[in-house]
């Protein structure tokens, strides 16, 4: 068995961080620059689940005058997230191959997880979906990769990690996993296929 483990943002889905914050700013009583500063102040805490979706909303209500309408806030906060149809189809196709298991490790806050729940039914078809805000740790902490391997019951040498951020891939490689720094599917997909046919 081999495991292909993907990042989500800018790999299996498209993510424009500025678009999300601009949409929140449009609801608020402060400038886009102030919204960015407010988010930066809580980004680390949201990423490891110290603030849940309701608490993130409440923070922006109190700090930026966002309306007290949770659904409207979540819609704005997810404005920068869009499906990558080809990438998602490929992940599902890999999962269906004999001898291949597919997982996801994502640094993601619980407000964005609500968007995933509504828009990414494909995640239910994968063998592992690990969200940083649900497990209380984030890439590139080696512990998050170790937990993924433990849950998949595979040694590091039988897994490959694909992420658009080099430090996250380096951390996985430090544990013995193979790694691909994703820039485009034109290069990532052939590299993955080549790894899959290498002798174990």
């Amino acid at each position: 068995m081999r495991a292909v483990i993907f990042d989500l943002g800018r790999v299996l889905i498209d993510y424009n961080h500025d678009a999300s914050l601009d949409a929140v700013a449009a609801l608020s009583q402060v400038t886009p620059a102030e919204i960015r500063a407010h988010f930066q102040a809580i980004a680390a805490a949201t990423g490891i689940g110290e603030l849940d979706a309701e608490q993130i909303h409440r923070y922006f209500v109190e700090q930026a005058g966002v309306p007290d309408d949770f659904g409207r806030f979540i819609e704005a906060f997810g404005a920068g997230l869009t499906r990558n149809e080809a990438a998602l189809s490929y992940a599902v196709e890999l999962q269906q191959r004999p001898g291949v298991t597919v997982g996801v490790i994502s640094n993601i806050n619980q407000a964005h997880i609500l968007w995933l729940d509504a828009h990414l039914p494909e995640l239910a078809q994968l063998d592992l979906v690990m969200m940083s805000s649900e497990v209380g740790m984030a890439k590139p902490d080696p512990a998050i990769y170790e937990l993924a391997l433990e849950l998949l019951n595979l040694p590091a040498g039988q897994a490959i990690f694909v992420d658009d951020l080099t430090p996250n891939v380096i951390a996985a490689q430090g544990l013995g996993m193979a790694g691909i720094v994703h820039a485009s599917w034109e290069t990532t997909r052939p590299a993955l296929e080549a790894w899959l046919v290498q002798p174990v």
Side-chain angles (χ1 to χ4, degrees):
M1 180 67 70
R2 292 188 178 216
V4 178
I5 305 174
F6 293 106
D7 175 34
L8 267 182
R10 303 188 183 94
V11 179
L12 293 184
I13 63 173
D14 297 322
Y15 178 47
N16 183 327
H17 184 64
D18 288 338
S20 282
L21 295 185
D22 286 344
V24 173
L27 296 179
S28 77
Q29 299 175 22
V30 302
T31 66
E34 288 174 296
I35 286 292
R36 283 162 173 73
H38 285 311
F39 180 75
Q40 190 59 38
I42 62 168
T46 66
I48 58 172
E50 292 178 355
L51 297 178
D52 64 18
E54 289 80 7
Q55 290 169 320
I56 295 169
H57 174 228
R58 179 53 47 191
Y59 173 84
F60 280 102
V61 170
E62 295 172 354
Q63 299 296 322
V66 166
D68 195 9
D69 181 333
F70 181 67
R72 191 176 173 197
F73 171 76
I74 291 299
E75 181 179 358
F77 201 64
L81 296 164
T82 53
R83 290 171 55 87
N84 184 325
E85 300 294 346
L88 290 165
S89 294
Y90 180 56
V92 171
E93 186 268 317
L94 283 174
Q95 176 67 72
Q96 295 168 348
R97 294 188 194 180
V100 178
T101 185
V102 176
V104 162
I105 302 175
S106 179
N107 286 356
I108 192 166
N109 60 69
Q110 293 190 11
H112 280 161
I113 289 175
L114 295 179
W115 185 92
L116 298 179
D117 290 344
H119 297 281
L120 257 69
E122 290 87 351
L123 292 181
Q125 300 181 53
L126 307 182
D127 281 340
L128 175 76
V129 178
M130 184 177 293
M131 306 300 186
S132 63
S133 59
E134 294 179 342
V135 298
M137 51 187 158
K139 301 172 295 183
D141 183 347
I144 199 167
Y145 308 99
E146 291 171 341
L147 178 58
L149 293 169
E150 179 182 342
L151 292 172
L152 291 170
N153 194 28
L154 286 175
Q158 290 174 226
I160 189 168
F161 183 62
V162 182
D163 197 298
D164 64 306
L165 297 178
T166 300
N168 294 343
V169 174
I170 290 173
Q173 291 171 322
L175 296 173
M177 298 170 66
I180 296 172
V181 178
H182 175 76
S184 75
W185 280 103
E186 287 74 18
T187 55
T188 294
R189 185 164 179 163
L192 261 180
E193 294 294 339
W195 178 80
L196 285 167
V197 299
Q198 291 176 4
V200 177

